[in-house]
Amino acid sequence: MHTDPRFKITYTLTAWDYAAMARALTRRPWQRSVVTVVLWLFSVWCLLVFYTDLYNPVTMVSVVVESGSWLWVFGCIGLVALLSLATHWLAWGASFLYYRQIASANATITMTLSDDAVRVTSSVADSTVPWTTVKRVIREKRYLMLPISKREAFILPRRGFETEGSFNDAWRYASKQISAGLAQL
């Protein structure tokens, strides 16, 4: 049963849209990133304890500095910290390399939000996904995203909406539909 669409937008998928989706789906709370860095530092400390039999971190740092390998050790620690804290930016950058390989690159997409489902029509494929499949709504400055898995989301760029108000209304509508779907579970 098809209900009348509440919102309908048409846009052409660009590499920037795809990159925004990749960044939004891989972003995690900063607290989790800090915990990851702390666990990595603890792992490095454990490895250094294993190889040096030194347990005191201050003594360990002085031995590493005296051995001449301080640049290598601290460079690796810095790299691990960067990778742990900026994974969403790395995914963003990598998405530009991957964009040309996806079937929907530069495709014109029509996205319809109705009471029962999200419908996507393009030259590549047509799909209808019930609201219960959508995990949440991600709202960014220029996008609404409706994730359906850890790697996929429906992208609704702001430029596809006629007005700022309709963009905000679509966000509220999608949030309401997802909340209603969660209440049914």
Side-chain angles (χ1 to χ4, degrees):
M1 175 177 134
H2 295 301
T3 58
D4 291 332
R6 297 289 178 117
F7 296 93
K8 184 175 184 176
I9 66 166
T10 300
Y11 66 96
T12 301
L13 183 71
T14 66
W16 290 97
D17 299 333
Y18 188 71
M21 179 198 67
R23 191 185 80 220
L25 292 180
T26 56
R27 184 181 307 129
R28 56 185 175 200
W30 67 269
Q31 297 94 336
R32 184 173 164 196
S33 296
V34 169
V35 168
T36 302
V37 169
V38 169
L39 289 174
W40 275 108
L41 290 175
F42 181 72
S43 300
V44 168
W45 179 77
C46 288
L47 281 173
L48 289 173
V49 165
F50 179 75
Y51 285 111
T52 63
D53 288 328
L54 297 173
Y55 293 91
N56 184 344
V58 175
T59 305
M60 189 182 297
V61 168
S62 66
V63 167
V64 167
V65 169
E66 288 174 12
S67 72
S69 60
W70 65 272
L71 187 60
W72 185 83
V73 171
F74 292 121
C76 287
I77 290 172
L79 181 64
V80 165
L82 177 68
L83 292 175
S84 298
L85 294 172
T87 53
H88 60 284
W89 288 109
L90 295 171
W92 177 82
S95 69
F96 285 102
L97 299 173
Y98 186 68
Y99 174 72
R100 293 281 178 213
Q101 297 175 14
I102 64 172
S104 56
N106 296 318
T108 300
I109 298 170
T110 300
M111 184 91 51
T112 306
L113 307 180
S114 63
D115 288 342
D116 61 339
V118 177
R119 288 182 183 71
V120 182
T121 306
S122 72
S123 57
V124 177
D126 297 337
S127 63
T128 301
V129 176
W131 281 105
T132 53
T133 304
V134 178
K135 308 296 183 214
R136 61 194 164 129
V137 178
I138 300 172
R139 181 183 179 164
E140 294 190 344
K141 184 177 180 178
R142 293 185 283 172
Y143 296 97
L144 287 178
M145 287 172 229
L146 307 174
I148 56 174
S149 73
K150 289 183 178 183
R151 296 185 191 138
E152 298 174 300
F154 295 126
I155 306 166
L156 292 98
R158 185 177 294 244
R159 69 179 184 277
F161 292 90
E162 293 176 12
T163 65
E164 179 77 21
S166 62
F167 179 79
N168 293 329
D169 291 343
W171 169 65
R172 282 190 286 278
Y173 177 75
S175 298
K176 180 180 151 195
Q177 292 301 110
I178 292 169
S179 295
L182 291 174
Q184 292 175 356
L185 299 176

